[in-house]
Structures are given as C-alpha cells and as structure tokens.
Amino acid sequence: MLPVTKWLWNHEFWFPPGLTWEDMKDTDEVHYPHPHHLLLCIPLAFLLIVVQLVVERVVGPPLSRRLGLQEKVRRKPSPNAILESFYSKHQKGPDERQLSGLAKQCDLQTRQVERWFRSRLRQDQPSLTKKFCEACWRSLCYIISFIIGLAIMYDKPWSWDFRECWTGYPQQPLEPSIYVYYIMKLSFYNSLVITSPFEVKRKDHKMQIIHHAATIFLISFSYCANYIRIGTLVMIIHDASDCLLEPNKILHYLKWRRACETLFIVFSAVYIFTTLVIFPNKVLYNTYYYSMEIYKPFLGYYLMNGSLMILQLLHIFWSYLIVRMLGRFFVCGTLDKDVRSDSEDSEKSEEEMAEEKEAMKNGSVLFSLNSGGGYISKTPPCN
C-alpha cells in the first residue's frame, strides 16, 4: 500500500504548482488543516448515534403523543401457514403466477390472497411514531447546524467578500470554530451512513446513501486541500434549506395541513434562491474565476469544480421537481400527500391503492423532492 499512499498524497494533486506538504507544516503561531484531524469524526459519529437513540426512544414517543400524532390501526391477517411460509422466505408479495398458485393451495380467491399479503406487509412497516422520531432527530441536527454555521460565519471576511476565499491560499490558517463546524458536519453524515440500515426505508433510500457518501467525500476533500472557506460557504447554503425540510415532514405526520403547506412554500423559496441564485453566483463563479487570478489550474482545481458542477446539476433537477409540485399546489390548492420522501404505501387503504393504480394507468405523475435526493410519487390529477 505504500506506493498507493505515496501516489494519493502527491502534492501535485492537492496544491497549486510550487507548493508542497512541507509548506503546510504547523508552527507555534499558525495551524493548518491536516487529513489526520478528520479521524475525530469517527468517535463523534458514534456519540451522535447514542444521542439519536435517546431522542428517538425516550424523547420522541411522548412528544408525538402530546402533539396528537394518530397511529393507524393495523389489523393482523388471519393465520395461514402456507402464506406465512411464502412470506418468510421471500419477504414480499407474490407475482401474478405465484398468486394464482397460492390461491389454489389455500382454496382462496386471488383477491383474498392479495389482501392477506397487504396486511402482512403492513405489519412489518415502521410505525408513524418511528418516522416522526427520525424526523425530529434530523430536524434538531439541521437546525443546530444552521444556527452554529450562522454564528461562525457571520463575521468571516469571505462570507461577504468572496475573493477572500483565495487570499493566501493554500496557506490559510485553520480557525478553531471552522474546525468545529467541519467535524460536526462530517460526524453527522457519518452517523447517517452507519445508521442507514436500521432506519425507515424510503423511496429514495439508495439515493440518500449515495448523497451521504458524496457529501462525506466533498467535506473531507475540501478540508484536506484547505478549501475550507469554500467548504463553509457550501455547507451554510445547504443548511438554510435542510433545516426546513425535516420539520415539514413532522407537520405532515401530525396532519397539520396548512402549516405543512406554508412551510413547504417557504422551503421551496429558500431552496430555489440559495441553490439557483446564491450557489452559482457566489460559489461556482468564485471557484472557477477568482481562484485563477492567483494560481494556474491543477488537479485539485478540476476535481473541486467538477464536483461542484455535478452538485449544481442536481440542484437544477431538484428545483424542477419543486416547481412542478408548486404548480400543482397553486392550480389545485393542495399538496395532497406528496410533501414527504418516505413511502407511505403500506399505510394506505385498499381504496386509496386502487385509486393510485388507476391514476398510474392514466399516466398522472407528480414529482416531489427531498433535499438529499429526488423521489417520485404518483397522485391522481386534481379536479
């Protein structure tokens, strides 16, 4: 592994021409970012998981009851050894060929078998309280992160004069508050990856994992290459909308419809403004042009700008989905059940599922958004 490690940490990849890792050595007065600093995020991630368990299992359930969260009654399916054996083996419902075969074995109609599997699947679905508790934990993290980010960034010169991002680069001292901000964000996303197998499986679960992994890479890369000033700008821009999305889910679970719709409109305005106006004008332009006033392009420059451009393409795609949903709201006067990223299919009644199947046949599709990744939900056209 030594040749691979030596190649990975080649100074030509990380710094502009003429600079090496020797130029980034600490002195008694000045400290710079170093890759080994990020190791602290590993124990902190597990500490966050402990706090998460306390919030979700001790604080969340009584809070949900106090706020009037209503759990749906789940009727248990009638005992059936044949169907239970099939479910235990496959952990899903049968296809059409298997359905008819099971119906014959059990001497039941296919509709009765379908109903049995819907009820059985519903038994294994996470409760609304669990989803509420997860949303509470994430809301708490995003709101705290945004507040801390504002407190740290409001007096930083590069928050107002974006050319300051490159003054003295890469020999820019690491401030303790910036280090705290970085470690806090990195620890949080590491904890999300660790706990993802145990959380509610949503429609965009795979996209969320990819998003978290990409976020961890970008945060780590920006720290190691001392792009911390750009990194802090990117994080605070995304925190502004992230701290609104999870509370929106809480309002949806509580069925506070008007508050949910109002907050979604606020979230949409903040997201579109921060990602389609501030991000390209203050971050992309900054990294693409201002940095070249000081140094010629190098590998780290291309990697950083390439990553930010991919992120901007995702912003455009997700903003398009938001606009589609807002259009439906202003035309139909309701957001229906689309202001969420988790799959509620298991909680629907048979009538709702039949309506949704009919809507799918008619080709009615409505797109919705999660800040971590896009997802699609289907609803019947508004009347």
Side-chain angles (χ1 to χ4, degrees), residues 68-79:
L69 182 70
Q70 298 179 355
E71 284 282 3
K72 292 186 178 181
V73 178
R74 300 180 180 183
R75 292 180 297 179
K76 292 184 178 181
S78 58

Side-chain angles (χ1 to χ4, degrees), residues 8 23 47 53 72 75 129 139 151 177 188 202 228-229 237 240 257 260 267 277 329 352 360:
L8 177 63
D23 299 305
L47 178 61
L53 291 174
K72 292 186 178 181
R75 292 180 297 179
T129 300
S139 297
S177 60
F188 173 63
R202 294 172 167 85
I228 52 176
R229 297 186 179 184
I237 286 173
R257 180 173 174 178
C260 180
F267 160 76
V277 179
F329 173 73
E352 288 175 319
M360 292 171 65

Side-chain angles (χ1 to χ4, degrees), residues 293-329:
E293 294 179 354
I294 304 174
Y295 293 110
K296 295 180 180 180
F298 58 102
L299 184 60
Y301 166 86
Y302 292 117
L303 183 57
M304 178 187 65
N305 280 281
S307 302
L308 293 177
M309 285 301 299
I310 292 173
L311 185 58
Q312 182 59 19
L313 291 176
L314 291 173
H315 291 160
I316 294 171
F317 173 69
W318 293 331
S319 296
Y320 164 75
L321 303 183
I322 287 182
V323 171
R324 284 285 299 269
M325 194 167 182
L326 284 174
R328 178 182 176 82
F329 173 73

Side-chain angles (χ1 to χ4, degrees), residues 146-165:
F146 183 56
I147 293 174
I148 292 177
L150 287 178
I152 290 173
M153 294 293 293
Y154 85 96
D155 63 343
K156 298 298 183 287
W158 63 87
S159 297
W160 314 103
D161 182 2
F162 296 102
R163 278 188 168 86
E164 286 293 323
C165 289

Side-chain angles (χ1 to χ4, degrees), residues 211-222:
H211 169 268
H212 298 336
T215 302
I216 291 171
F217 167 76
L218 289 172
I219 293 176
S220 302
F221 169 76
S222 65

